[in-house]
Amino acid sequence: FLAIGITLTFENSTNEATRDFVFSSACKAITKVGIEVDRDHCLKWIAVFLKDSSICKKITGEKFSTEYKGVKFQLENPPQMQCLTEIAAEKNDPSICNNVSGVLIASTKIDCLYQVAAKNNNGEACNMIEDKEQSRLGRAMNKAGCLAQLKSK
């Protein structure tokens, strides 16, 4: 029921304040039924459910910031990058990966393209890696590796 309400309100409202209220209410309702989730991860869930990457922009990554001498620092926003990555894979839209900018712990553009390619057997996503390479947990991630993970037709 909650999912239907979110979908209908979201699709019928262009008012940002209304949409923010609906998202906030949905997150409170989810917490009330016993699912412990912070605001960022709740917004990520809603964004992925609706397959709407614009909602990912509302994810602040507050838990991934620190303060030093009164100045707030935030190097990465893992929940936001994961949100974009999951939506790109769900929609089979590698262009969304252009907005993924993780460095160390957050999803990177290459992580995103790998997921789009793997979930959708999409070689075009692999081709977008070009000559770039990254290493995750000792595994080289590059265009050749991405193409190798695809299922042969």
Side-chain angles (χ1 to χ4, degrees), residues 30-71:
I30 290 168
T31 302
K32 282 183 182 177
V33 296
I35 301 170
E36 192 60 40
V37 64
D38 62 55
R39 180 185 178 278
D40 282 347
H41 287 90
C42 181
L43 286 173
K44 180 181 116 157
W45 178 83
I46 292 169
V48 172
F49 174 77
L50 295 174
K51 296 181 184 163
D52 185 339
S53 60
S54 70
I55 299 170
C56 300
K57 294 176 189 169
K58 297 182 179 306
I59 298 172
T60 63
E62 186 69 28
K63 289 187 176 185
F64 296 91
S65 65
T66 189
E67 195 170 305
Y68 179 71
K69 294 187 178 183
V71 179

Side-chain angles (χ1 to χ4, degrees), residues 65-137:
S65 65
T66 189
E67 195 170 305
Y68 179 71
K69 294 187 178 183
V71 179
K72 190 173 183 178
F73 293 95
Q74 183 173 7
L75 299 176
E76 295 189 276
N77 186 339
Q80 185 182 66
M81 298 304 107
Q82 190 60 37
C83 181
L84 292 167
T85 298
E86 288 182 29
I87 292 170
E90 286 297 318
K91 292 177 80 171
N92 191 19
D93 184 354
S95 70
I96 294 172
C97 297
N98 291 327
N99 299 312
V100 177
S101 60
V103 180
L104 297 172
I105 58 172
S107 294
T108 65
K109 181 177 178 179
I110 293 176
D111 291 321
C112 182
L113 292 169
Y114 256 70
Q115 282 195 30
V116 172
K119 182 172 180 78
N120 303 288
N121 206 41
N122 182 343
E124 283 306 307
C126 296
N127 290 333
M128 289 176 67
I129 295 173
E130 299 167 345
D131 294 332
K132 297 177 182 97
E133 184 171 314
Q134 78 179 27
S135 179
R136 287 281 195 199
L137 301 172

